[in-house]
Amino acid sequence: MDKSTRKEIEKFVNMNIGDFHSSRLRNLQKLNLDAFVKSKNPYLFRAKNVTRASEFIDGLLQARISSSEETKFGSFLEELAIFVCGITCGGQKSATTGIDIDLRKDGIRYLIAVKSGKNWSNASSMTNQRRNFKNAVQVLKQSKYVGEVQPTLGICYGNFKTANNGLFLHIGGQSFWNLISGDDRFYVDIVEPIGHQAEEHAEAFKRELDRTANRLHNEFFTRFCDSRGEIDWSRLVHFVSGNLKVRSGG
């Protein structure tokens, strides 16, 4: 890969990685205790003998952060793959449902669905992806000039072996980035621009995380702890799950 191409890719990363970091901050700033608490299973925390309000909130925070970061950064990686393929191999962003990249390479037309990691799917989403591949191939095969078509599931990280199950090519990690960039070292080289200003972003995130944790700790303690400072599990469970009107006596 020549220097000018690398510069273009680095520029794309620098312009778009900021969206990932900004979204991390926004997710913290907009956290509302009511929705936050209701999104989790209070019985699980009781079974784990959680006794401190801070432990309850910190557990929720870490789960929320991990989930939202995986989703947002996965989207960034998928957009990066589309850009890289376009600038290095002439691939195009596909308008076909369930297909991200349309790439012609070495006499083969690759219809690539890009996923950030190999654990992206459940049974339903995999069924939909298979259907999308079949539909895309059927449309293309209506033209006798289309040539060889290869549906491809491209995974951004992971060291599993490339395999073809007859319906689609399953490729990931170094092999995937090499397919869409033509460079077998690209999967390593891209680490540096992704880490651009990571330290500064991390400091800003920690400040916001501390503010958010303090805010949620205080509110949780006020609303869901008793006069002795213990978590009032009855009150908490009722808040999360109560949905029947209390009948009057008589």
Side-chain angles (χ1 to χ4, degrees):
M1 187 181 297
D2 59 50
K3 289 184 178 180
S4 62
T5 301
R6 288 185 180 276
K7 287 290 185 182
E8 286 297 312
I9 294 172
E10 289 175 6
K11 181 179 178 181
F12 176 88
V13 171
N14 291 341
M15 289 176 60
N16 290 276
I17 194 67
D19 291 341
F20 165 70
H21 292 292
S22 296
S23 72
R24 295 174 79 210
L25 292 177
R26 288 194 302 271
N27 285 337
L28 289 176
Q29 292 164 349
K30 69 183 183 182
L31 275 180
N32 173 275
L33 184 69
D34 286 12
F36 190 42
V37 170
K38 285 186 175 182
S39 68
K40 294 299 178 180
N41 183 350
Y43 304 111
L44 173 61
F45 285 88
R46 187 68 180 104
K48 292 167 63 177
N49 196 35
V50 171
T51 58
R52 289 183 287 112
S54 59
E55 186 180 1
F56 186 91
I57 292 298
D58 290 345
L60 291 180
L61 269 175
Q62 290 306 314
R64 173 65 67 88
I65 290 169
S66 177
S67 176
S68 63
E69 286 181 348
E70 283 286 343
T71 299
K72 185 63 178 179
F73 195 74
S75 296
F76 164 76
L77 279 180
E78 291 162 14
E79 289 299 322
L80 173 62
I82 294 170
F83 179 81
V84 168
C85 190
I87 198 171
T88 59
C89 298
Q92 297 180 340
K93 184 176 178 62
S94 176
T96 303
T97 300
I99 309 297
D100 298 299
I101 298 173
D102 191 333
L103 170 65
R104 292 175 174 84
K105 186 175 183 179
D106 300 328
I108 301 173
R109 187 167 180 176
Y110 293 92
L111 303 179
I112 306 174
V114 182
K115 307 297 179 183
S116 62
K118 63 180 181 180
N119 296 323
W120 64 277
S121 71
N122 53 33
S124 176
S125 56
M126 179 58 78
T127 297
N128 288 336
Q129 186 61 64
R130 289 173 179 271
R131 184 184 303 114
N132 290 334
F133 278 142
K134 287 181 179 179
N135 291 341
V137 171
Q138 286 175 356
V139 170
L140 288 178
K141 287 296 185 179
Q142 293 176 6
S143 171
K144 61 182 179 180
Y145 304 107
V146 68
E148 183 178 353
V149 179
Q150 179 59 70
T152 302
L153 187 61
I155 311 297
C156 294
Y157 67 91
N159 64 354
F160 53 88
K161 293 183 178 180
T162 299
N164 194 324
N165 61 17
L167 176 59
F168 61 85
L169 181 70
H170 191 217
I171 187 171
Q174 181 182 12
S175 299
F176 169 65
W177 289 106
N178 183 51
L179 172 67
I180 64 172
S181 71
D183 186 339
D184 62 8
R185 279 203 49 84
F186 183 80
Y187 79 111
V188 172
D189 295 340
I190 196 61
V191 168
E192 284 305 312
I194 285 177
H196 179 66
Q197 295 184 334
E199 185 175 352
E200 293 89 334
H201 287 299
E203 290 175 357
F205 180 78
K206 185 180 184 305
R207 286 194 299 271
E208 189 60 43
L209 177 61
D210 289 344
R211 285 194 290 264
T212 300
N214 288 336
R215 170 172 59 84
L216 294 174
H217 288 164
N218 290 338
E219 188 175 352
F220 183 89
F221 188 86
T222 299
R223 295 176 57 186
F224 299 112
C225 290
D226 61 24
S227 59
R228 297 172 298 175
E230 296 182 352
I231 295 175
D232 186 333
W233 288 101
S234 294
R235 191 192 312 172
L236 179 61
V237 170
H238 176 72
F239 175 76
V240 173
S241 299
N243 55 18
L244 295 176
K245 292 182 179 180
V246 178
R247 295 180 179 179
S248 60

